[in-house]
Amino acid sequence: MPVPRLFEAPPEVEEQWSHVLSTLLGLAGPDTRSALVEEITGEALPDADAMLVRERRPLREDPDRVVADILARGAGWTLALEGSLAFDAVDAGHLAVLHDTLSEVADRTILVVVTPDRRPPAELRALQEDGRDIRHRSWLRVRDWVQERPERGGAEGVDLVLLREAEYYLTPRVAELYRLEGIMPLVPEAARSALATAFFDLNDLAPAPLIQSSAADECRVVFPRSGDPVVELVVEGGSLALRLTGADPGRGTVEDAGAHVLSIGSRDDYDMARGWVQSSAKRLLPARR
C-alpha cells in the first residue's frame, strides 16, 4: 500500500513536521494508527487501521491547484490534515477550499488543522460555524500523545521505533516552538509563518538562541546563544527583519552598520531570500558540536 517515504526529508519546515505525523499514520501498526486517528479527530473512525495515507497529494489540478499536507482515506470517510507553525494565522480561504474540494468526492470529510495555538483560532471557528467539519489540534497535544503512547499503548517492535523517532524529532522542536508564543503577536499575521520558518532554519544551525525583549513591542532572537550578533531576527514597531552581520549582500537587503538587513513583511519576502539566508548563516555561525 502507499506509504510515506521515511527517509526523504521535505524541504519546507512545516512539511517536515507533517511528515512525522504521516509516517506514524502510514507505517505504524493497526492499534497505533487507530489510536492516533482517534486522538487527532476526537472520535474513533471505522477501519482506521486499514486507511490509505498520502502526503502532499493534489486534489485539484492547475489553475486552481489544491493540495493537502496529509490525506487519509478510510471506510466511508476522508481525513485531511493541514499543519502550520504560526500562531493565530490560519489561511481560512485555503482551508475552506480544501474542505469543499474534498467534500465533492468523499462521503464524509474531516479536516484537522494542527497549529501551535492552544485554542482554535478565531478564523477557524468561523469556518466551523459555517457548517464545515473542520477541527483543531495543537502541536503540544500531538507531542504529548507521542511521548505517552509507548507506555500507555504498550507499543513494541516497529511501532515503538517509530514513536521513539517521532518523539526525538518533536520534543525539542515543540519546546522551541513555544518560545515563539510571546513573540508572534508582535508580528503582522502575514509574516508569522515566515518568522517560524526562519527561526527553525536558523535553529537547526545554532540551537536554543538567545531571546531578548527590550520593550513591550521589541524583541531580538540572537543566533548563536552566546549573544554575539551574528544572525538576528528583530521585531520592532510591528515589523520583522533579519540581520546578518558579515554577510554578502542578498536580494532585497539593505546595509546597516556592517550588517545586511532583510525586511520580512510576508512569507514571500523570506522565501525569495531563503537560499541566501541559509548559505550565509552556515558560513557565519559556529559549527554545531
Side-chain angles (χ1 to χ4, degrees):
M1 70 181 218
V3 295
R5 290 163 293 190
L6 185 59
F7 298 108
E8 184 171 320
E12 294 296 333
V13 176
E14 293 92 342
E15 291 178 23
Q16 293 170 13
W17 289 54
S18 294
H19 182 67
V20 174
L21 267 183
S22 64
T23 299
L24 290 174
L25 289 168
L27 296 182
D31 291 344
T32 298
R33 301 176 87 200
S34 297
L36 181 53
V37 168
E38 184 172 355
E39 172 64 25
I40 291 172
T41 62
E43 65 174 288
L45 295 176
D47 298 324
D49 59 325
M51 63 186 169
L52 298 178
V53 180
R54 300 285 183 89
E55 292 184 70
R56 302 294 299 169
R57 180 176 181 177
L59 309 178
R60 184 189 297 169
E61 299 301 329
D62 291 333
D64 299 315
R65 186 179 176 88
V66 181
V67 178
D69 285 345
I70 304 172
L71 191 67
R73 295 191 184 276
W77 52 267
T78 296
L79 169 65
L81 287 91
E82 282 289 297
S84 171
L85 301 182
F87 287 81
D88 195 22
V90 298
D91 186 344
H94 170 69
L95 295 178
V97 170
L98 176 56
H99 184 277
D100 294 348
T101 300
L102 279 171
S103 297
E104 294 173 1
V105 297
D107 295 336
R108 182 189 180 194
T109 296
I110 302 171
L111 172 58
V112 179
V113 185
V114 188
T115 77
D117 303 287
R118 299 173 193 268
R119 297 180 179 180
E123 291 190 12
L124 193 149
R125 294 198 300 271
L127 293 174
Q128 293 171 329
E129 292 170 358
D130 287 341
R132 296 180 176 91
D133 193 351
I134 301 180
R135 309 177 189 186
H136 176 260
R137 286 295 178 270
S138 71
W139 282 112
L140 191 62
R141 183 167 173 176
V142 171
R143 189 280 313 269
D144 289 347
W145 186 90
V146 168
Q147 281 185 332
E148 297 167 3
R149 177 68 186 176
E151 182 176 347
R152 291 189 176 183
E156 297 178 346
V158 172
D159 281 20
L160 183 59
V161 171
L162 291 173
L163 287 164
R164 290 303 187 205
E165 287 297 312
E167 180 186 0
Y168 179 82
Y169 182 90
L170 288 175
T171 294
R173 288 171 172 82
V174 168
E176 289 293 294
L177 176 62
Y178 284 90
R179 296 181 71 201
L180 298 178
E181 191 168 11
I183 304 175
M184 283 279 182
L186 308 180
V187 176
E189 185 175 324
R192 291 178 187 175
S193 176
L195 170 59
T197 300
F199 177 87
F200 282 105
D201 279 347
L202 298 168
N203 191 69
D204 282 345
L205 301 174
L210 180 65
I211 298 180
Q212 301 174 319
S213 297
S214 54
D217 63 345
E218 296 180 7
C219 182
R220 289 175 180 264
V221 184
V222 185
F223 303 84
R225 187 172 179 79
S226 62
D228 298 330
V230 178
V231 182
E232 300 172 276
L233 284 166
V234 181
V235 180
E236 186 175 15
S239 63
L240 174 65
L242 181 64
R243 294 178 58 92
L244 281 84
T245 301
D248 296 328
R251 180 177 180 180
T253 65
V254 296
E255 188 172 359
D256 177 42
H260 283 89
V261 182
L262 173 70
S263 295
I264 304 175
S266 68
R267 179 60 186 267
D268 289 343
D269 293 335
Y270 180 70
D271 284 346
M272 287 189 292
R274 191 177 182 189
W276 168 78
V277 172
Q278 291 176 320
S279 61
S280 298
K282 286 178 182 178
R283 178 172 60 84
L284 296 171
L285 289 168
R288 292 188 62 173
R289 296 181 179 178

